[in-house]
Amino acid sequence: MSAPDVLRWGVAACALGAATALVVQAYGTRSFGLRPPQAAPSASAWRGLAYAFGAGMSPTAKESTRSHPFVYALGVSYHLGIFTALATLLWVVIAGPARVAPVAVVRAIIVMLTAAGTVGGVALLARRARTPLLRTISVPDDYVANALTTAFIALAALHLLVARLESAFLVVAMLLLAYAPLGKIRHCLFFFISRGHLGRHYGRRGTFPLRH
């Protein structure tokens, strides 16, 4: 087995381990239980759920994003870069060394999205380090998670331009997957769980959807 094959199997093992650890953690949160609602529902929980993952995600629905549209744009580019890098990693691991190189248009889109994501990650990290209030409330996990994720996005683009960087891309992917269940990257799962709970709860009470 060649070194790249070992790295691809390593990524698969780390992905399986991260998924297992996250599912165990999510299941563990159920041990606290949910207090059953006492009042009769005044509206639809499903409407609240649809709002939480729909219009409630728009910049106009959140005061913080309305006040900081540039930071919101950086966050969007950062997360688009993450999703693109993950799709690229999946392609590299599954297709293996016999994979066909993407056509020029697809390759250009991947590089553009991951480059924008890298810029977003670096800008958000610099903002955290340079803003006194953010620096005060930050913990090492904030910096480690951002640095690992940004390096992962950057290498997803660079390895398409410089083939010998594929090993570095796979190694950083393994580090990221191994770290994911340990810190704030866990929000990749808990965001959806908490957002779903929020939507159902306030939908049932008739608070969601909000009127803007």
Side-chain angles (χ1 to χ4, degrees), residues 165-179:
L165 289 177
E166 180 177 317
S167 295
F169 176 47
L170 295 174
V171 168
V172 170
M174 283 193 288
L175 292 174
L176 181 65
L177 289 167
Y179 186 75

Side-chain angles (χ1 to χ4, degrees), residues 124-188:
L124 291 172
L125 184 61
R127 177 174 179 266
R128 180 177 295 280
R130 291 176 58 86
T131 306
L133 177 59
L134 284 178
R135 195 167 57 242
T136 300
I137 63 176
S138 296
V139 296
D141 177 40
D142 292 313
Y143 297 98
V144 173
N146 186 306
L148 264 178
T149 306
T150 302
F152 172 65
I153 301 171
L155 284 167
L158 290 173
H159 99 278
L160 290 176
L161 305 174
V162 184
R164 64 175 180 273
L165 289 177
E166 180 177 317
S167 295
F169 176 47
L170 295 174
V171 168
V172 170
M174 283 193 288
L175 292 174
L176 181 65
L177 289 167
Y179 186 75
L182 306 177
K184 66 183 295 183
I185 300 176
R186 286 178 290 191
H187 79 272
C188 66

Side-chain angles (χ1 to χ4, degrees), residues 183-203:
K184 66 183 295 183
I185 300 176
R186 286 178 290 191
H187 79 272
C188 66
L189 175 63
F190 285 97
F191 167 80
F192 295 98
I193 295 174
S194 60
R195 192 77 183 169
H197 176 70
L198 182 79
R200 290 193 304 274
H201 178 73
Y202 285 109

Side-chain angles (χ1 to χ4, degrees), residues 61-144:
K62 298 179 180 178
E63 181 181 355
S64 60
T65 54
R66 287 197 302 271
S67 305
H68 305 90
F70 182 63
V71 177
Y72 177 79
L74 288 175
V76 169
S77 69
Y78 188 39
H79 284 81
L80 283 176
I82 293 170
F83 294 135
T84 306
L86 286 172
T88 304
L89 177 66
L90 191 65
W91 169 65
V92 170
V93 171
I94 292 178
R99 65 184 180 276
V100 178
V103 297
V105 174
V106 174
R107 179 174 163 149
I109 292 173
I110 294 173
V111 171
M112 181 184 68
L113 289 174
T114 47
T118 303
V119 171
V122 171
L124 291 172
L125 184 61
R127 177 174 179 266
R128 180 177 295 280
R130 291 176 58 86
T131 306
L133 177 59
L134 284 178
R135 195 167 57 242
T136 300
I137 63 176
S138 296
V139 296
D141 177 40
D142 292 313
Y143 297 98
V144 173

